[in-house]
Amino acid sequence: MTTELAAPRRAPLDRTRLLTYLQEYGVYAGVAVLLLANVLFTPHFLSAENFRTQAVQVAPVLIVALGMALAIGSEGVDLSVGSVMALSTSLLSLYLGYGPWVAVIVALIGGAAVGLANGSLISFIGVQPIVATLALMVAGRGLALVLLPQLKDVRDPGVASLGSGDLLGVPYPALIAAALALAVAFTVRRTTFGRQLLAIGDSRPAAKLAGLPVRRVLITVYICSGVLAAVAGVLATARLQASDPTSLGTLMELSAITAVVVGGTPLSGGRIRIGGTVAGAVLIQLLTATLIKHDLPPSWTQIAQAVVIVLAVYAARERGKR
Amino acid sequence: MLSVTGLTKTFPGARALDGVDLSVGPGEVHALIGENGAGKSTLIKLLTGVYRPDAGEIVLQGRPVRFATPLEAQHAGISTIYQEVNLVPLMSVARNLFLGREPRGRLGLIDFGRMHREADEALRALGLRVDVRRPLRSLGVGAQQMVALARAMAADARLVVMDEPTSSLEPREVRTLFGVIRALRERGIAVIYVSHRLDELYEVCDTVTVLRDGKRVHTGLLAGLNRLSLVSLMLGRELGEARAATTGARASGGEPVLEARDLTVRHSLHGVSVSVRPGEVVGLGGLLGSGRSETARAIAGALPPDSGQVLVAGLPVRTGSTPAAIRAGISLLPEDRKAEGIVPGLSVRENIALAALPGLARFGLVDDARVDRVVDTFVKRLRIKTAGPHQKVGELSGGNQQKVLLARWLAMRPKVMLLDEPTRGIDVGAKAEVRRLIDELADEGLGVVLISSDMEELIEGSDRVVVLKDGAVVAELTGTEVTEERLLRAIASEGTRAPEPTGAPEPLEVAERAGAARSPDADRRDRP
């Protein structure tokens, strides 16, 4: 209401401020607490082998979550990411005959095509993102199964090394995920596209009247999300050394949304936190790993995830209310 | 009836209200005025239970009260009519009227027959005749406000708080509202009336309290206070910076920089032509819904016209495309600043740079140093009051938000600026500043189209006024013809009806309109 409101705040640490901090930094604190707890209570947690396993496992979710963060930042969502992963694994094994690189590129083009379809439905026809991407989620999985009806082994040394090779001890999937996270963070912060994306996510009518290329930006967002999901699909295939379009990427959209939301990106758009998204993905991975290492049933993992989501949403809600 | 003493509310970093006293007796209409940020909204929110006070007490009908929620305040007899209507658009008028206290029949089910009958009676008492079974959103904003008012009265209110109730009403609807306020007064109900429009205050209010910087600076009878002292009390200074009369002062020669020819949009515009020369301020006059905003939006590419042409400096511009219009040098300051102008969650800096971004970037990478320079220039030049370029625009006052928007467009070096209600809802001081800015821009050779419901502003600010009625141009006033009287006569004149039957403009008995989930502002513009 007043301009003074944004003046330096020196009020005591009350509940509202605590919740603000919880939303801003809670996800990092969560990761730190889990790491500490594991170091203290989990045997062999500090081994290099364990860290490599965790990194390889988190990479696909993380990469998908990056694209999801863009979609959510534009006040949308991309439900088709899991199906894009399945489509990319089908394409990868179909085109493996032309060599691993051709196959990977075809898989990525497949992801881009799904993204283009999503973006066109949303920006030209005006379908709501949740509906448009739901349609592509069903269609994508169907197409993947048409191309490759059942599980197929992927025997290619090139693809295999992508999944299990490393550079100076850091596995390739983790390196790729880190590089992509940096690239997306840079795009959001420093490019015209990133700034326009945030403006569109925050207030679509204002962005339109300011002459922003709303359609182009939205289509680009969904293409990015599609390509990132395809990358995740390729990496997952490389690690499993098999293409399984029936189950690869199922429920991936939910994991990715969880990572984004837990990381503090509001579902209402206009703000994207890449650091938080990375931490969100890591948090959920660590949570799962911790419970598994202590021999708790998988259902516990789901309950723990649910608790984390509720906490994140609670913090976000309080913040919006002032 | 209501007595408030020493009310104080502090937000992190700012004391919004500082020991304010206020007392309102039964049947008294009490004006509450002050500049934006003076603490009016905070006071209202404390009275209606939205906020809780840090200190001070509220005494209602002799008993001290503390409201934990707005509902408690309502039950205690305090009802509020907000600037924007706070009702459920998809529910029927009657259901909105009785929301939360529906008449029950046996089995505890809603007695619809009785509800519809009583709703109809309540609205007729306010002079509103509508089918109470229709969804609320099919009514015009004015009629919706009447429903809100009827709701407040039906809830057996002892005190009705009205926060800028007339800001989206037609003159005729304002008359009805004032009739209702007088009826409230006769029934011994107290009214707190907040408005920026001084005319209204003098017409309907008995007493006045002036707030400034969170403190009460004056309370007294309104009749004994002339306008000038009222305004200087609000501002805390004399209005020495009054505008020099500019009417007809600027040269009106030269080729037009903007020419709109025969713009036609179904149901709203019928062959509207407007031309603007460099350095000229052309006012668009007319009532709400006469097609002023639609003309501006059609020129700016935000409303695709069915036919017609827009030329900038003699070259045709593709219509129906905002980017094309902007590239040609047309900038539109939209009427609904909050929904269509600012991007509230982004910083002042991002908002100013928003439209100019591609020009401030190399290969898609934003050049932050250049952005900083542009932002810095305009923050200084337009005297935007902000804690820093990284403050969120949503936190600024209305006047400063408007300046941020002006800066956004000036950074594009436009040839023509279309200003739709540039001073609506901003305080008196900022109003004067924005008007002076408009003059300065015109003096620098910019073509300006000015839309304003404030007749004085339109007359003083414009070199020429094009008068619209029912989506068609009915008169053009130039030079010495630009007077309030001539404008009124042009608006009131008969004839020059729209070629296609558009339905008579009946503000209160409203025709069904297309377009479901739209803002009240969008709806208002769409009224035939």
Side-chain angles (χ1 to χ4, degrees):
Chain A
M1 200 199 72
T2 47
T3 39
E4 290 90 335
L5 270 184
R9 298 170 183 206
R10 273 173 283 110
L13 197 73
D14 55 24
R15 193 165 143 269
T16 336
R17 270 162 56 84
L18 200 68
L19 279 161
T20 311
Y21 279 123
L22 183 64
Q23 205 215 1
E24 290 284 325
Y25 307 109
V27 62
Y28 303 112
V31 170
V33 167
L34 269 177
L35 276 176
L36 198 66
N38 274 306
V39 168
L40 293 179
F41 301 116
T42 310
H44 314 301
F45 183 76
L46 275 178
S47 70
E49 189 47 46
N50 178 50
F51 274 100
R52 293 179 54 152
T53 315
Q54 302 299 337
V56 170
Q57 279 178 356
V58 80
V61 184
L62 179 48
I63 293 170
V64 170
L66 293 173
M68 189 65 80
L70 294 180
I72 288 178
S74 74
E75 210 184 356
V77 73
D78 188 351
L79 296 182
S80 68
V81 286
S83 300
V84 169
M85 286 178 71
L87 183 64
S88 75
T89 197
S90 295
L91 288 170
L92 185 69
S93 60
L94 269 183
Y95 284 86
L96 207 52
Y98 297 96
W101 289 112
V102 174
V104 167
I105 287 166
V106 170
L108 298 190
I109 290 174
V114 173
L116 180 66
N118 277 330
S120 307
L121 279 174
I122 291 161
S123 59
F124 284 107
I125 305 178
V127 183
Q128 283 162 336
I130 195 164
V131 179
T133 57
L134 183 69
L136 266 294
M137 171 180 168
V138 177
R141 178 81 57 186
L143 186 60
L145 285 168
V146 168
L147 293 174
L148 189 73
Q150 71 265 322
L151 192 139
K152 190 178 162 199
D153 286 344
V154 174
R155 297 184 202 286
D156 182 276
V159 172
S161 76
L162 195 61
S164 51
D166 60 44
L167 185 73
L168 301 173
V170 186
Y172 284 142
L175 276 179
I176 293 170
L180 288 172
L182 286 177
V184 172
F186 181 82
T187 307
V188 171
R189 268 165 202 255
R190 293 296 313 276
T191 62
T192 327
F193 165 73
R195 309 268 176 111
Q196 291 176 335
L197 161 59
L198 292 179
I200 290 168
D202 198 347
S203 174
R204 180 83 58 94
K208 249 186 196 152
L209 275 188
L212 301 195
V214 176
R215 286 177 178 160
R216 197 172 75 209
V217 169
L218 285 181
I219 289 176
T220 315
V221 164
Y222 286 93
I223 289 180
C224 285
S225 177
V227 170
L228 286 167
V231 171
V234 168
L235 290 181
T237 311
R239 190 162 64 90
L240 297 170
Q241 303 208 7
S243 282
D244 181 8
T246 325
S247 69
L248 185 71
T250 43
L251 296 185
M252 182 56 89
E253 59 285 340
L254 297 186
S255 306
I257 294 172
T258 308
V260 173
V261 170
V262 168
T265 299
L267 282 174
S268 48
R271 185 145 190 251
I272 296 178
R273 298 186 63 198
I274 294 301
T277 302
V278 172
V282 170
L283 179 71
I284 287 159
Q285 172 64 30
L286 276 178
L287 204 60
T288 316
T290 309
L291 297 174
I292 288 173
K293 280 179 194 292
H294 290 270
D295 288 332
L296 291 164
S299 49
W300 279 65
T301 313
Q302 286 161 358
I303 294 169
Q305 273 197 29
V307 170
V308 170
I309 294 174
V310 168
L311 275 177
V313 171
Y314 177 68
R317 181 195 70 101
E318 282 295 324
R319 193 164 177 268
K321 263 176 48 175
R322 120 131 72 230
Chain B
M1 168 71 67
L2 173 85
S3 129
V4 168
T5 40
L7 214 55
T8 299
K9 177 76 184 173
T10 310
F11 290 114
R15 174 156 288 190
L17 212 57
D18 191 0
V20 167
D21 302 340
L22 175 74
S23 80
V24 187
E28 178 181 334
V29 182
H30 195 105
L32 181 63
I33 61 171
E35 281 201 86
N36 281 349
K40 287 171 305 187
S41 322
T42 312
L43 180 54
I44 291 173
K45 285 181 177 160
L46 289 170
L47 287 178
T48 54
V50 178
Y51 296 155
R52 276 156 296 287
D54 297 333
E57 93 175 327
I58 303 171
V59 178
L60 188 66
Q61 294 182 294
R63 279 178 296 121
V65 287
R66 289 190 82 84
F67 304 128
T69 63
L71 197 66
E72 278 182 28
Q74 259 178 45
H75 286 312
I78 298 183
S79 284
T80 318
I81 316 286
Y82 287 104
Q83 205 167 345
E84 289 94 22
V85 183
N86 287 347
L87 295 170
V88 190
L90 285 169
M91 280 193 181
S92 77
V93 172
R95 290 220 55 176
N96 269 293
L97 210 46
F98 285 90
L99 201 63
R101 44 182 194 84
E102 292 87 352
R104 306 276 170 170
R106 266 175 303 176
L107 302 172
L109 299 176
I110 297 174
D111 183 348
F112 277 102
R114 203 174 118 209
M115 188 169 83
H116 288 151
R117 211 165 45 243
E118 287 181 10
D120 195 51
E121 279 165 19
L123 291 179
R124 268 169 202 273
L126 298 185
L128 181 66
R129 285 154 174 270
V130 290
D131 182 351
V132 295
R133 277 163 293 215
R134 288 232 310 263
L136 183 80
R137 65 145 196 250
S138 64
L139 304 185
V141 182
Q144 291 190 18
Q145 203 130 31
M146 289 297 154
V147 174
L149 193 60
R151 184 175 153 76
M153 288 172 67
D156 200 26
R158 307 306 307 154
L159 171 71
V160 179
V161 179
M162 301 188 181
D163 189 358
E164 301 245 9
T166 56
S167 59
S168 45
L169 296 191
E170 300 263 0
R172 204 177 117 188
E173 296 170 316
V174 173
R175 299 255 64 84
T176 316
L177 178 75
F178 285 178
V180 172
I181 291 177
R182 288 188 189 104
L184 290 176
R185 177 157 56 191
E186 270 154 36
R187 285 166 51 184
I189 295 171
V191 176
I192 293 181
Y193 190 91
V194 179
S195 178
H196 280 130
R197 301 184 181 173
L198 298 185
D199 296 332
E200 293 176 10
L201 300 182
Y202 278 101
E203 185 165 351
V204 79
C205 297
D206 309 313
T207 46
V208 62
T209 288
V210 184
L211 295 182
R212 191 170 73 228
D213 301 328
K215 295 194 179 72
R216 190 189 65 166
V217 293
H218 178 83
T219 294
L221 287 175
L222 195 59
L225 199 63
N226 67 35
R227 275 169 190 244
L228 197 63
S229 12
L230 193 63
V231 170
S232 42
L233 275 170
M234 277 168 75
L235 298 178
R237 59 184 150 97
E238 297 296 320
L239 260 187
E241 295 173 306
R243 295 156 36 90
T246 53
T247 308
R250 275 185 285 271
S252 49
E255 287 299 302
V257 63
L258 171 77
E259 252 191 296
R261 288 185 195 151
D262 291 322
L263 289 175
T264 299
V265 177
R266 216 165 91 83
H267 293 315
S268 53
L269 294 182
H270 312 284
V272 172
S273 300
V274 178
S275 74
V276 185
R277 282 182 280 269
E280 190 183 32
V281 179
V282 175
L284 290 186
L287 298 174
L288 210 63
S290 59
R292 297 169 307 178
S293 293
E294 289 80 354
T295 305
R297 294 176 76 84
I299 293 173
L303 179 70
D306 300 321
S307 66
Q309 245 191 327
V310 176
L311 294 97
V312 171
L315 299 172
V317 180
R318 185 156 64 92
T319 52
S321 156
T322 329
I326 291 170
R327 268 196 305 278
I330 301 174
S331 292
L332 170 69
L333 204 69
E335 180 186 19
D336 191 346
R337 180 178 66 235
K338 288 207 165 66
E340 298 189 323
I342 57 163
V343 183
L346 294 192
S347 64
V348 170
R349 183 177 182 273
E350 300 292 324
N351 265 282
I352 291 179
L354 189 63
L357 217 46
L360 296 171
R362 234 173 268 142
F363 309 114
L365 292 185
V366 177
D367 184 342
D368 278 319
R370 279 176 75 192
V371 172
D372 284 334
R373 270 201 303 280
V374 168
V375 169
D376 197 50
T377 312
F378 285 109
V379 167
K380 283 208 185 100
R381 176 165 170 210
L382 305 189
R383 288 185 291 279
I384 300 172
K385 279 186 213 125
T386 157
H390 295 285
Q391 186 176 14
K392 280 187 182 176
V393 162
E395 294 170 349
L396 297 184
S397 69
N400 282 305
Q401 289 180 355
Q402 199 67 285
K403 288 191 205 165
V404 166
L405 286 181
L406 277 170
R408 177 194 291 171
W409 291 122
L410 291 177
M412 300 293 291
R413 300 176 197 286
K415 297 191 178 79
V416 193
M417 270 197 132
L418 313 171
L419 309 174
D420 196 350
E421 302 283 2
T423 64
R424 169 177 289 176
I426 69 181
D427 62 69
V428 179
K431 250 181 206 182
E433 252 186 286
V434 168
R435 287 180 196 169
R436 203 171 44 238
L437 263 172
I438 296 171
D439 281 349
E440 271 176 38
L441 294 173
D443 288 338
E444 285 166 21
L446 196 70
V448 177
V449 174
L450 175 67
I451 298 175
S452 176
S453 295
D454 183 338
M455 198 161 283
E456 209 183 305
E457 175 174 295
L458 193 69
I459 295 293
E460 279 191 16
S462 312
D463 302 313
R464 194 151 58 84
V465 176
V466 173
V467 186
L468 293 170
K469 189 175 175 186
D470 300 331
V473 177
V474 289
E476 193 171 324
L477 311 175
T478 48
T480 51
E481 294 174 348
V482 183
T483 61
E484 270 191 41
E485 197 213 335
R486 291 294 294 264
L487 180 56
L488 277 176
R489 249 194 285 164
I491 292 171
S493 66
E494 280 297 316
T496 333
R497 274 272 155 187
E500 145 194 359
T502 56
E506 288 290 330
L508 287 183
E509 288 172 45
V510 189
E512 197 104 29
R513 276 171 291 111
R518 280 199 242 169
S519 72
D521 272 291
D523 273 356
R524 187 147 42 83
R525 272 193 303 274
D526 278 4
R527 181 175 304 166

